[in-house]
Amino acid sequence: MSAVSAAAAVERCALGIRRARPTAASPATRHCPPSIRRGPRRHLALAAAAAARRGPVAPRAIATPADRASSDLLGKFTLDSNSELQVAVNPAPQGLVAEINLEVTNTTGSLILHWGALRPDRRDWLLPSRRPDGTAVYKNKALRTPFVKSGDNSTLRIEIDDPAVQAIEFLIFDEAQNKWFKSNGQNFQIQLQTSRYQGQGASGASSSTTVPEDLVQIQAYLRWERNGKQSYTPEQEKEEYEAARAELIEELNRGISLEKLRSRLTKAPESSESVSPASQSTVAKVPEDLVQVHAYIRWEKAGKPNYPPEKQLVEFEEARKELQAELDKGISVDQLRKKMLKGNIESKVSKQLKNKKYFSVERIQRKQRDVMQLLTKHKHTITADQVEVAPKQPTILDLFTKSLQEKDGCEVLSRKLFKFGDNEILAIATKDPRKMKVHLVTNHMEPLILHWSLAKKAGEWKAPPSNILPSGSKLLDKACETSFSESELDGLRYQVVEVELDDGGYKGMPFVLRSGETWIQNNGSDFYLDFSTRVTKNTKEIGDAGKGTAKALLERIADLEEDAQRSLMHRFNIAADLVDQARDAGLLGIVGLFVWIRFMATRQLIWNKNYNVKPREISKAQDRFTDDLENMYKTYPQYREILRMIMAAVGRGGEGDVGQRIRDEILVIQRNNDCKGGMMEEWHQKLHNNTSPDDVVICQALLDYIQSDLDISVYWDTLNKNGITKERLLSYDRAIHSEPNFRHEQKEGLLRDLGNYMRSLKAVHSGADLESAIATCMGYKSEGEGFMVGVQINPVKGLPSGFPELLEFVLDHVEDKSAEPLLEGLLEARAELQPLLLDSPERMKDLIFLDIALDSTFRTAIERSYEALNDAAPEKIMYFISLVLENLALSTDDNEDILYCLKGWNQALEMVKRKDDQWALYAKAFLDRIRLALASKGEQYYTMMQPSAEYLGSLLGVDQWAVNIFTEEIIRGGSAATLSALLNRFDPVLRNVAHLGSWQVISPVEVSGYVVVVDELLAVQNKSYDKPTILVAKSVKGEEEIPDGVVGVITPDMPDVLSHVSVRARNCKVLFATCFDSRTLSELEGHNQKLLSFKPTSADITYREITESELQQSSSPNAEAGNAVPSVSLVKKKFLGKYAISAEEFSEEMVGAKSRNIAYLKGKLPSWVGVPTSVAIPFGTFEKVLSDELNKEVAQTIQKLKSKLVQEDFSALGEIRKTVLNLTAPTQLVKELKEKMVGSGMPWPGNEGDQRWEQAWLAIKKVWASKWNERAYFSTRKVKLDHEYLSMAVLVQEIVNADYAFVIHTTNPSSGDSSEIYAEVVKGLGETLVGAYPGRAMSFVCKKDDLDSPKLLGYPSKPIGLFIRQSIIFRSDSNGEDLEGYAGAGLYDSVPMDEEDKAVLDYTTDPLIVDRGFRNSILSSIARAGHAIEELYGSPQDVEGVVKDGKIYVVQTRPQM
């Protein structure tokens, strides 16, 4: 190999070009990124230095002639024992074509050249456009050209017309032998004449001038920085690279030396050529290993960004320059090395060098585990006995308070309960229209003297005026003494002193007690009743106050709050005393304790009232409290989620979860310093949405601004010095538009509060809180000497293998700008901890606090990633959603639904990777299901926590705003809020890819009306609107009625297209649509009370504001659709003498259309469609049973309740339903029903025992009782049906224990297309489809002329499936269903004899979801069954059925309305 070739090899190595070594199956294709900004993370100069240190470079078989000008033959290469490759090059003058001629001797089979061209501005192979005949492109990364057979030899000629190409690289493949030929294990490389390239773009430059490639890269990078770091296309990158080369060549041609050029570009000291050797400095050079270490330290300080190669090179030279400056100051290399190589920095750098990942963040290898290993199923259930807490037996002090409150005109101003020994004393200040009184009442029955005074300011003892002294009092210098007198109330004895005050402007009453010679104080201090502490009037006695809470516990907490405010030691000790009472009160007791501690953590309660207490005393009290919580955590797993919240609020240091404090404390700062608007409010919103390290800078900028006497330029100077510009402030999701504008009187408070706040911000963003939690579990290392050095002291035992290294990884990356590796590490640590937290290890408390810190750090890291996700690809956003889902599952007690969501989401992510065309539709279903899970979690928290927050808040006088947002803030501070924000970002992406649009139009009707915004359709379903109204309803469940006067309903909810409310909307010609775009929905809500016109298509809706005259001129009949009353009537049915009939006896006089249709289908459908056996309890049977002497009292009660209904007392509806359940079955009914069921081949429930018959009888009565359902009753009123004429038959069928259930509309209900069948399918029983169960069913359409090709419209998102054992179902079959112009179907109940089992659904293993062939077969069969039934009836049908073991069963059909 020539020296030129060796130099070229070293240069290519320095450029960081990697060549994959081919195997028999994989040729060596170059995969090298472009030069600017997208290069490998490997540092270029480091590679060159490494190459230099290794000495001579190993030959790479680059065929380069010694004298290119004198010979066209570049060289010969031996391929095997009989074959040789000869290469000749015909170089061309600049601009013309160069030829490369290849000849392989003694070939037997066909040869292929696997090749590409090399250019200095590209890392990967260039694929020239000028190619020999037969050339094929291989994976867009290489060319493959066949040799031409010529006798025993094979030849090939390649022409290169690109003057920038310097060489070609290739391998040769023998197809017959399946063998690759290489050059000493490397690619062949053929250099073209280098002068073809030199000087390109450098006008006037000498063609012999060359510039080292590393300098060209630096110059290109500097140009890119100067131009504002624009995004270049590949063509622009190429132009920039060549422009940089031209600039450097021009400088060299002007006479600047290469060394000076290098010095200027790298800012390294240059050696002076004119200085004599004797005068040259002998300063030592920086060792390369220290340069590497220092470059790594600089990179860490910068937040570990991903540098492109050019920036890497600049960073290394900057590091070298800084170290050289240190040496120039006189420090020795050894001193420098000792200073730098502290801790594990050297191992970190060596790890990067070993892995060849320079300036790149390492990642952990996550264990492959089934996500269901994270399953916990401890549900938060509130039982009736927990809600209706038995009231505590009132004490004499309670009775005394109540007696005062019941006095006319008496107002309780302040109330304080004190404990002393086993007794209590209650101090109450009251006011009536004439005077103010202080009452001191105690259950201490020994002789007692009150030593008291009055105070106009804190700490004052002032003797009271003589004219207000109670009888028998003794006036002293600064006090008065009064003896307690005995009294009695409701048989309970007590002692009391009453003092009537004058209008002396007193602030309070200090006092102590004396019993004989013993003085009694309040824990060493004076008792004190503060007159200014107001209590909510009669809080405990107001209506439903305390309903849904552990009321007695909350009232106890309120009584003890005054003591708790003395210090955190007092509060934690009181909390520990209350743990047993909270546990005994069940879930609501634990919640009550949490609410109290949370109020404390958010600074809503006083922490310390000038009470001196040592830190170790606080720590001891805190340990006592958290030890009790730890014991309950071990024993009561159903409370673990709430117990974690309490421990997070308390924190390891008594100040709570530091991450949550960021959200809580900013509210307190705003309130305490009267700065709720402007910049502080905008910053508050940003902090709540996503706190980031920028917040540390913003906080410091505010502190500097205040300290500079409110000089706004100082604020901006601090921001700008730390890289935060006005544009950056505006770029946040919650932008900061305003400047701070504080008043001088706010300075002192803000300096104090923001200074404290800075500690919380730094603790979060430096990982200090996490570091402390880790240190507690891992133990600490002795700083001693000898054998004790490095010994770990007090670590938690039994931690998983490799766990310390995992936590070390987390700490190393906690401040990284790229959060993804950190997030993976945090999750892996939490997943490793989880088995321990489900067990009962030693020091459980320390592990819980560690898990809380890991969780808090995860949420903070996710929030600071928002900005980086703005332009991320869908796959990246989906991966982050997967991470957040897993974190939420690890923080949730009952996480089965969340884990199935995670499984499905991960499956969708795999579909993206393999480019499955259904990925977006599949992911959308799981996104919707995740949203349902989050909404359910939010509702659960609100139901569980908000009543306690409201009641305890009222007792403690907590600010109303803090009470109102209590549950909201809990949710916003958790992973659920983070997940929701990511889903909101991703939803439009999915809808766009899946072509779903922003609307789903369920009932496409053009309407005009007044917009009215309501929270839920259910709350207004019985209301009548006097003008055309379009409801924007935030919640629609699926079973509601459309109110009178409503012409349109818009909702973000997703009821099934075939749900009751959807069918009702279509029947009543009411617009009904789901809006998925939150911005559009907000815009509509902003039009509240305005007049709008809506025009729908099958997939979209347009709307505009119109005038009253346009509404009146509208010719559309739909303007009055909501007021239209169909003309329908009922024929009263009579009992025809039979309690039960078989299917052959079904007639219009005996049963409804549901029973008659099912009997009609029997024997008329194809054999592959089953119809269940049926019998019926006919019309009039209910009335007959009610008139039986057995049920006389029931009949009388129902008659009275009907009278209440006539008077529009609708509470009677529920009472009637309850009363119907008291009916007794006549013997004849039981006998006839048994005969008909057994005769039809159905099992008789009574054969399994009397209890089974009672279950069946109860189900029958529930069907009859559903005649008085609110929804059904008001629906009949709306169309003026006589409710008395409504008769209820009962269709009795065996339940098919379904795998799937479906509903078919044989004409597409959304489009009205009669050539297309529309159907929905759910897993399990059909009640989740027709009832108000959340989520969407699987939906599809199928053309009637192509029933083998169903088209999937949407995957299911319903989280719950219903399943039942072999049983009987009793279906409602009234004469008020399927009437012309009125759809009564679905109004009345169908009741199974046995209760259904609810199961959380895992769709990832369901063949209907994951097996396309199976899905196509089932959906096609469903469509065929619908078509067959439509053909049978000759009209569009609404069909319900089930699938069991692949067989279709139809359970009912009716005309499609």
Side-chain angles (χ1 to χ4, degrees):
M1 172 186 274
S2 69
V4 175
S5 299
V10 172
E11 182 183 24
R12 289 214 171 273
C13 184
L15 289 173
I17 296 175
R18 302 186 297 273
R19 291 186 175 82
R21 297 193 174 186
T23 64
S26 174
T29 304
R30 287 172 63 89
H31 306 292
C32 303
S35 59
I36 297 179
R37 293 181 292 110
R38 293 200 295 255
R41 297 188 179 117
R42 184 173 185 175
H43 192 279
L44 312 178
L46 181 60
R53 287 196 300 275
R54 288 193 297 270
V57 178
R60 295 181 56 233
I62 300 174
T64 307
D67 183 358
R68 291 195 185 103
S70 63
S71 175
D72 284 344
L73 182 64
L74 257 67
K76 298 179 180 179
F77 305 86
T78 299
L79 299 184
D80 58 26
S81 57
N82 298 319
S83 187
E84 182 183 77
L85 168 66
Q86 299 176 359
V87 182
V89 176
N90 292 327
Q94 186 171 314
L96 298 180
V97 175
E99 292 180 0
I100 301 118
N101 291 294
L102 307 175
E103 183 171 10
V104 181
T105 62
N106 298 320
T107 58
T108 54
S110 57
L111 299 180
I112 301 288
L113 188 74
H114 180 91
W115 66 287
L118 300 180
R119 281 176 42 161
D121 58 327
R122 294 176 65 102
R123 295 286 195 278
D124 49 354
W125 279 0
L126 170 75
L127 307 185
S129 56
R130 189 176 186 127
R131 305 164 185 171
D133 291 343
T135 298
V137 178
Y138 179 75
K139 295 186 177 179
N140 288 324
K141 294 177 181 177
L143 298 176
R144 287 190 167 180
T145 304
F147 280 78
V148 178
K149 187 72 172 163
S150 176
D152 291 335
N153 299 342
S154 297
T155 63
L156 181 61
R157 185 177 72 175
I158 295 173
E159 297 179 345
I160 302 295
D161 60 0
D162 184 347
V165 171
Q166 288 186 328
I168 68 166
E169 274 191 354
F170 61 86
L171 298 167
I172 296 174
F173 180 52
D174 187 334
E175 288 187 305
Q177 300 181 58
N178 191 28
K179 181 177 180 181
W180 289 92
F181 293 106
K182 311 171 192 175
S183 178
N184 293 330
Q186 300 290 325
N187 296 352
F188 293 98
Q189 187 181 107
I190 304 300
Q191 292 281 349
L192 305 182
Q193 184 175 340
T194 56
S195 62
R196 297 176 77 246
Y197 187 77
Q198 291 169 356
Q200 293 297 312
S203 178
S206 167
S207 62
S208 63
T209 305
T210 60
V211 183
E213 288 299 317
D214 61 330
L215 298 189
V216 176
Q217 291 177 333
I218 294 175
Q219 180 73 358
Y221 180 83
L222 295 174
R223 283 175 58 86
W224 175 63
E225 275 194 328
R226 286 199 301 269
N227 293 334
K229 299 184 179 179
Q230 305 172 30
S231 294
Y232 288 145
T233 63
E235 293 73 20
Q236 289 172 320
E237 286 184 356
K238 174 181 166 185
E239 292 169 6
E240 278 295 302
Y241 200 90
E242 291 312 310
R245 185 190 301 280
E247 288 176 353
L248 298 182
I249 289 174
E250 189 174 344
E251 289 199 57
L252 291 174
N253 288 342
R254 286 203 303 266
I256 295 176
S257 72
L258 188 60
E259 186 174 1
K260 284 189 175 181
L261 190 62
R262 180 178 296 280
S263 173
R264 178 177 66 75
L265 288 174
T266 63
K267 298 181 182 178
E270 60 189 82
S271 63
S272 173
E273 296 174 18
S274 62
V275 179
S276 66
S279 64
Q280 286 182 16
S281 169
T282 58
V283 174
K285 287 190 175 181
V286 183
E288 282 299 316
D289 63 326
L290 295 189
V291 175
Q292 294 164 3
V293 170
H294 193 53
Y296 182 90
I297 293 170
R298 285 172 56 86
W299 175 63
E300 269 199 328
K301 287 180 178 176
K304 299 181 181 177
N306 287 328
Y307 284 147
E310 299 78 14
K311 179 62 175 172
Q312 294 171 19
L313 196 116
V314 171
E315 277 295 303
F316 257 79
E317 293 306 327
E318 286 295 323
R320 188 189 308 278
K321 178 183 174 183
E322 289 177 1
L323 295 182
Q324 190 66 55
E326 291 279 310
L327 294 177
D328 291 346
K329 292 175 184 176
I331 188 172
S332 71
V333 171
D334 286 342
Q335 288 172 319
L336 190 62
R337 184 180 299 279
K338 187 174 181 180
K339 174 183 173 184
M340 292 176 60
L341 301 184
K342 291 181 178 179
N344 61 349
I345 183 68
E346 195 168 17
S347 63
K348 288 181 181 179
V349 176
S350 65
K351 190 185 297 183
Q352 288 242 327
L353 299 179
K354 179 181 177 183
N355 297 335
K356 298 184 179 179
K357 291 184 178 178
Y358 312 106
F359 297 122
S360 68
V361 179
E362 60 185 330
R363 301 176 88 127
I364 60 155
Q365 185 66 42
R366 294 208 62 188
K367 290 182 180 177
Q368 295 297 314
R369 58 171 67 84
D370 182 354
V371 298
M372 298 314 292
Q373 291 177 2
L374 308 179
L375 177 66
T376 57
K377 297 178 73 170
H378 303 299
K379 295 183 184 294
H380 293 157
T381 54
I382 301 174
T383 60
D385 61 326
Q386 288 175 340
V387 175
E388 302 297 333
V389 179
K392 65 178 182 179
Q393 189 67 28
T395 66
I396 181 57
L397 304 184
D398 294 328
L399 294 173
F400 185 87
T401 303
K402 186 176 180 182
S403 69
L404 289 178
Q405 291 172 333
E406 289 174 347
K407 288 183 180 178
D408 289 340
C410 181
E411 178 185 0
V412 176
L413 298 179
S414 56
R415 177 182 183 275
K416 184 72 189 76
L417 182 70
F418 303 96
K419 290 186 69 174
F420 62 98
D422 295 330
N423 300 303
E424 295 176 322
I425 184 167
L426 177 66
I428 302 181
T430 63
K431 186 176 183 181
D432 63 24
R434 294 184 298 106
K435 55 190 176 296
M436 179 176 171
K437 276 188 177 182
V438 176
H439 314 258
L440 293 113
V441 193
T442 179
N443 56 1
H444 178 84
M445 295 312 297
E446 298 295 324
L448 196 63
I449 292 175
L450 177 71
H451 184 91
W452 62 283
S453 76
L454 296 172
K456 291 188 177 182
K457 58 183 179 182
E460 182 180 50
W461 274 73
K462 187 177 180 63
S466 59
N467 64 324
I468 68 168
L469 300 183
S471 175
S473 296
K474 180 181 178 181
L475 192 61
L476 305 175
D477 181 23
K478 291 185 177 182
C480 177
E481 288 193 344
T482 305
S483 296
F484 281 80
S485 58
E486 288 192 27
S487 191
E488 186 177 302
L489 184 63
D490 288 355
L492 297 174
R493 296 168 60 233
Y494 63 95
Q495 294 199 90
V496 63
V497 169
E498 293 187 354
V499 181
E500 188 173 317
L501 301 179
D502 60 6
D503 190 13
Y506 303 113
K507 301 296 184 184
M509 174 187 282
F511 63 94
V512 293
L513 305 171
R514 182 159 57 87
S515 177
E517 298 302 316
T518 303
W519 289 93
I520 300 171
Q521 290 182 291
N522 183 25
N523 293 315
S525 300
D526 299 335
F527 297 100
Y528 186 76
L529 176 62
D530 187 346
F531 298 159
S532 65
T533 304
R534 294 291 188 262
V535 298
T536 305
K537 183 178 179 181
N538 295 344
T539 297
K540 298 181 183 180
E541 307 302 328
I542 296 173
D544 289 335
K547 184 177 181 181
T549 74
K551 187 175 181 181
L553 172 69
L554 299 186
E555 291 173 358
R556 181 67 179 154
I557 287 172
D559 288 341
L560 296 170
E561 174 58 27
E562 185 75 18
D563 277 347
Q565 291 181 1
R566 299 173 72 188
S567 74
L568 287 177
M569 178 192 74
H570 291 81
R571 187 175 298 280
F572 292 143
N573 275 327
I574 291 170
D577 291 340
L578 292 172
V579 164
D580 286 348
Q581 186 179 347
R583 182 199 59 224
D584 293 344
L587 176 63
L588 291 177
I590 308 300
V591 168
L593 195 58
F594 165 65
V595 170
W596 182 45
I597 295 299
R598 170 76 181 167
F599 278 148
M600 177 273 295
T602 56
R603 309 300 200 274
Q604 292 302 315
L605 305 177
I606 296 170
W607 281 30
N608 193 304
K609 279 191 172 179
N610 299 318
Y611 191 92
N612 292 325
V613 60
K614 297 179 178 66
R616 61 180 173 79
E617 293 173 329
I618 296 176
S619 179
K620 183 178 179 182
Q622 182 202 349
D623 280 343
R624 180 185 165 216
F625 179 38
T626 52
D627 284 347
D628 287 345
L629 296 176
E630 175 190 30
N631 290 332
M632 201 190 310
Y633 189 98
K634 293 178 179 179
T635 313
Y636 295 87
Q638 67 270 33
Y639 302 149
R640 282 178 176 168
E641 190 173 331
I642 308 301
L643 291 169
R644 268 176 58 95
M645 291 181 178
I646 300 175
M647 295 178 78
V650 173
R652 290 179 58 255
E655 294 190 8
D657 174 351
V658 70
Q660 183 59 40
R661 288 210 311 271
I662 284 182
R663 293 176 175 81
D664 299 336
E665 288 179 3
I666 189 64
L667 291 166
V668 177
I669 292 171
Q670 288 182 274
R671 186 192 67 205
N672 288 351
N673 297 282
D674 189 27
C675 51
K676 294 183 180 177
M679 178 268 170
M680 289 296 284
E681 178 57 27
E682 292 167 355
W683 189 33
H684 157 225
Q685 292 300 327
K686 181 218 178 283
L687 288 159
H688 270 258
N689 188 55
N690 59 326
T691 180
S692 68
D694 284 7
D695 295 313
V696 177
V697 180
I698 293 170
C699 189
Q700 187 60 55
L702 289 173
L703 288 167
D704 292 348
Y705 160 66
I706 297 167
Q707 288 171 330
S708 69
D709 201 26
L710 307 183
D711 182 350
I712 196 64
S713 66
V714 173
Y715 169 77
W716 285 111
D717 188 50
T718 300
L719 290 179
N720 292 332
K721 280 180 180 176
N722 290 277
I724 298 182
T725 62
K726 185 173 289 187
E727 291 71 28
R728 181 159 181 81
L729 293 174
L730 293 172
S731 73
Y732 301 139
D733 277 1
R734 299 289 191 273
I736 298 177
H737 301 271
S738 310
E739 295 179 331
N741 185 23
F742 301 144
R743 303 185 302 276
H744 281 82
E745 63 268 23
Q746 294 173 302
K747 286 171 55 178
E748 183 180 349
L750 282 169
L751 276 175
R752 178 193 66 243
D753 291 349
L754 287 172
N756 292 331
Y757 193 53
M758 177 66 94
R759 286 197 289 274
S760 294
L761 287 168
K762 284 184 175 178
V764 167
H765 294 296
S766 70
D769 196 55
L770 174 64
E771 190 170 358
S772 170
I774 289 175
T776 302
C777 291
M778 294 297 101
Y780 60 93
K781 291 185 178 179
S782 169
E783 296 296 331
E785 297 181 1
F787 67 90
M788 282 299 291
V789 171
V791 173
Q792 285 201 305
I793 299 174
N794 200 31
V796 172
K797 296 174 182 172
L799 293 174
S801 173
F803 195 63
E805 292 76 16
L806 183 56
L807 294 181
E808 184 181 350
F809 173 90
V810 166
L811 283 179
D812 283 346
H813 296 84
V814 78
E815 296 183 66
D816 291 0
K817 283 187 177 177
S818 176
E820 197 172 317
L822 171 64
L823 295 171
E824 292 169 345
L826 289 163
L827 277 182
E828 187 65 20
R830 294 198 69 199
E832 289 281 88
L833 264 185
Q834 202 219 24
L836 292 176
L837 294 174
L838 296 179
D839 199 6
S840 297
E842 288 185 32
R843 295 175 58 187
M844 168 77 90
K845 181 171 70 174
D846 291 332
L847 295 177
I848 295 170
F849 279 126
L850 173 58
D851 190 54
I852 289 169
L854 291 167
D855 182 24
S856 179
T857 306
F858 182 94
R859 297 195 308 268
T860 304
I862 276 287
E863 288 171 2
R864 74 167 183 253
S865 301
Y866 284 173
E867 189 177 350
L869 291 175
N870 283 340
D871 301 313
E875 189 175 330
K876 175 68 72 177
I877 301 174
M878 288 183 73
Y879 181 58
F880 269 72
I881 290 172
S882 174
L883 295 177
V884 181
L885 254 180
E886 184 178 348
N887 192 61
L888 179 62
L890 286 164
S891 304
T892 305
D893 278 350
D894 182 20
N895 64 7
E896 187 176 15
D897 188 22
I898 294 170
L899 289 177
Y900 288 143
C901 288
L902 177 59
K903 284 184 71 176
W905 192 257
N906 287 341
Q907 205 169 57
L909 189 53
E910 289 303 313
M911 291 170 72
V912 176
K913 292 176 182 176
R914 64 174 185 262
K915 295 182 171 52
D916 190 305
D917 59 1
Q918 295 273 307
W919 78 264
L921 205 59
Y922 188 76
K924 181 66 174 77
F926 277 97
L927 184 144
D928 292 341
R929 179 169 176 177
I930 296 167
R931 278 182 165 163
L932 286 172
L934 296 182
S936 174
K937 192 72 178 170
E939 289 171 8
Q940 180 194 60
Y941 273 13
Y942 194 87
T943 303
M944 189 166 58
M945 297 177 183
Q946 195 62 27
S948 294
E950 291 174 0
Y951 188 55
L952 185 59
S954 70
L955 294 176
L956 299 180
V958 173
D959 287 344
Q960 192 59 47
W961 65 267
V963 171
N964 292 343
I965 65 171
F966 182 87
T967 307
E968 178 188 341
E969 288 301 301
I970 297 297
I971 295 168
R972 287 182 69 173
S975 290
T978 310
L979 182 55
S980 181
L982 288 174
L983 296 178
N984 289 341
R985 283 173 175 234
F986 197 53
D987 192 21
V989 176
L990 283 182
R991 299 195 63 78
N992 181 51
V993 175
H995 308 295
L996 295 174
S998 298
W999 294 87
Q1000 178 169 24
V1001 184
I1002 297 169
S1003 175
V1005 183
E1006 187 173 345
V1007 298
S1008 299
Y1010 292 90
V1011 172
V1012 174
V1013 180
V1014 298
D1015 284 333
E1016 50 183 23
L1017 183 59
L1018 184 66
V1020 297
Q1021 67 173 346
N1022 300 324
K1023 186 174 179 179
S1024 291
Y1025 292 89
D1026 57 5
K1027 53 188 178 182
T1029 299
I1030 298 165
L1031 294 178
V1032 178
K1034 296 173 185 175
S1035 170
V1036 176
K1037 299 302 182 188
E1039 286 199 318
E1040 301 91 339
E1041 287 295 312
I1042 305 291
D1044 289 341
V1046 168
V1047 297
V1049 178
I1050 307 294
T1051 180
D1053 250 342
M1054 299 175 289
D1056 291 309
V1057 173
L1058 302 183
S1059 67
H1060 172 81
V1061 71
S1062 302
V1063 173
R1064 186 53 51 90
R1066 288 191 292 269
N1067 292 342
C1068 297
K1069 301 296 185 286
V1070 169
L1071 170 67
F1072 188 32
T1074 296
C1075 178
F1076 296 105
D1077 189 328
S1078 58
R1079 288 170 297 183
T1080 300
L1081 203 66
S1082 295
E1083 184 178 295
L1084 284 173
E1085 289 173 349
H1087 286 299
N1088 194 27
Q1089 303 302 325
K1090 291 182 180 177
L1091 185 56
L1092 297 185
S1093 172
F1094 286 76
K1095 186 173 184 179
T1097 65
S1098 62
D1100 199 7
I1101 287 182
T1102 59
Y1103 56 89
R1104 64 185 179 89
E1105 195 167 350
I1106 61 172
T1107 63
E1108 288 272 4
S1109 59
E1110 285 181 277
L1111 177 65
Q1112 292 167 2
Q1113 292 167 8
S1114 172
S1115 58
S1116 169
N1118 298 324
E1120 298 298 324
N1123 291 317
V1125 178
S1127 177
V1128 292
S1129 60
L1130 293 177
V1131 176
K1132 191 167 186 177
K1133 301 295 184 180
K1134 299 177 181 178
F1135 180 69
L1136 298 179
K1138 293 185 178 181
Y1139 284 102
I1141 56 176
S1142 62
E1144 293 74 22
E1145 301 172 89
F1146 291 178
S1147 67
E1148 189 172 354
E1149 292 302 313
M1150 301 285 275
V1151 293
K1154 188 182 295 182
S1155 299
R1156 299 197 306 275
N1157 286 336
I1158 207 71
Y1160 178 72
L1161 289 177
K1162 199 80 172 177
K1164 296 184 176 66
L1165 292 177
S1167 59
W1168 51 268
V1169 179
V1171 178
T1173 303
S1174 307
V1175 301
I1177 300 171
F1179 290 140
T1181 304
F1182 167 71
E1183 291 77 10
K1184 177 68 174 175
V1185 170
L1186 188 62
S1187 65
D1188 195 292
E1189 189 64 27
L1190 287 168
N1191 296 304
K1192 185 176 180 180
E1193 288 185 14
V1194 174
Q1196 290 172 348
T1197 303
I1198 288 177
Q1199 195 56 45
K1200 290 176 184 177
L1201 291 171
K1202 284 181 179 179
S1203 300
K1204 289 175 69 175
L1205 269 183
V1206 172
Q1207 297 166 11
E1208 302 206 340
D1209 180 354
F1210 300 123
S1211 66
L1213 289 169
E1215 294 179 59
I1216 292 175
R1217 292 198 300 275
K1218 287 181 182 177
T1219 306
V1220 169
L1221 301 185
N1222 293 327
L1223 288 171
T1224 301
T1227 306
Q1228 189 62 25
L1229 182 149
V1230 179
K1231 179 185 174 186
E1232 290 187 25
L1233 182 58
K1234 179 179 180 179
E1235 287 175 356
K1236 294 299 181 183
M1237 289 181 68
V1238 172
S1240 299
M1242 297 172 67
W1244 170 244
N1247 290 343
E1248 300 177 52
D1250 291 344
Q1251 189 250 342
R1252 294 291 289 160
W1253 158 247
E1254 288 301 326
Q1255 280 181 256
W1257 175 234
L1258 180 62
I1260 293 167
K1261 290 186 288 186
K1262 285 181 177 179
V1263 174
W1264 286 337
S1266 70
K1267 173 180 174 178
W1268 286 275
N1269 278 340
E1270 280 81 1
R1271 188 160 58 90
Y1273 182 80
F1274 288 113
S1275 179
T1276 56
R1277 273 170 57 98
K1278 181 177 178 179
V1279 295
K1280 297 182 170 54
L1281 280 175
D1282 189 338
H1283 196 258
E1284 282 296 305
Y1285 277 33
L1286 188 85
S1287 295
M1288 186 74 71
V1290 180
L1291 175 63
V1292 185
Q1293 292 179 320
E1294 269 193 274
I1295 289 181
V1296 178
N1297 188 8
D1299 299 322
Y1300 308 102
F1302 60 82
V1303 173
I1304 308 168
H1305 277 196
T1306 59
T1307 290
N1308 189 326
S1310 296
S1311 63
D1313 186 351
S1314 60
S1315 69
E1316 190 172 67
I1317 289 170
Y1318 175 88
E1320 293 182 341
V1321 186
V1322 294
K1323 192 171 177 67
L1325 299 178
E1327 181 59 22
T1328 59
L1329 180 54
V1330 298
Y1333 283 80
R1336 298 291 290 273
M1338 173 181 277
S1339 57
F1340 72 96
V1341 292
C1342 193
K1343 291 292 183 183
K1344 294 174 184 175
D1345 59 1
D1346 189 9
L1347 293 169
D1348 288 328
S1349 305
K1351 179 186 176 184
L1352 190 67
L1353 299 180
Y1355 285 94
S1357 62
K1358 288 186 180 289
I1360 297 296
L1362 297 179
F1363 300 89
I1364 200 168
R1365 67 176 193 168
Q1366 199 68 29
S1367 187
I1368 305 293
I1369 188 167
F1370 300 89
R1371 299 183 183 275
S1372 59
D1373 189 25
S1374 76
N1375 62 339
E1377 301 178 43
D1378 305 323
L1379 302 173
E1380 187 68 33
Y1382 172 69
L1387 289 176
Y1388 308 103
D1389 295 345
S1390 294
V1391 183
M1393 188 176 85
D1394 296 285
E1395 195 170 337
E1396 305 100 330
D1397 293 322
K1398 284 186 178 181
V1400 183
L1401 298 177
D1402 178 8
Y1403 290 117
T1404 64
T1405 57
D1406 186 344
L1408 192 67
I1409 309 301
V1410 299
D1411 184 336
R1412 287 198 183 203
F1414 179 81
R1415 178 169 66 243
N1416 195 76
S1417 171
I1418 293 295
L1419 300 189
S1420 178
S1421 296
I1422 290 172
R1424 288 180 182 281
H1427 186 54
I1429 292 171
E1430 183 184 58
E1431 292 281 292
L1432 182 63
Y1433 280 93
S1435 63
Q1437 293 292 299
D1438 173 355
V1439 183
E1440 293 181 25
V1442 298
V1443 181
K1444 177 64 176 175
D1445 298 330
K1447 182 176 175 64
I1448 306 296
Y1449 294 86
V1450 173
V1451 297
Q1452 68 179 63
T1453 185
R1454 62 172 70 92
Q1456 182 177 330
M1457 302 293 286

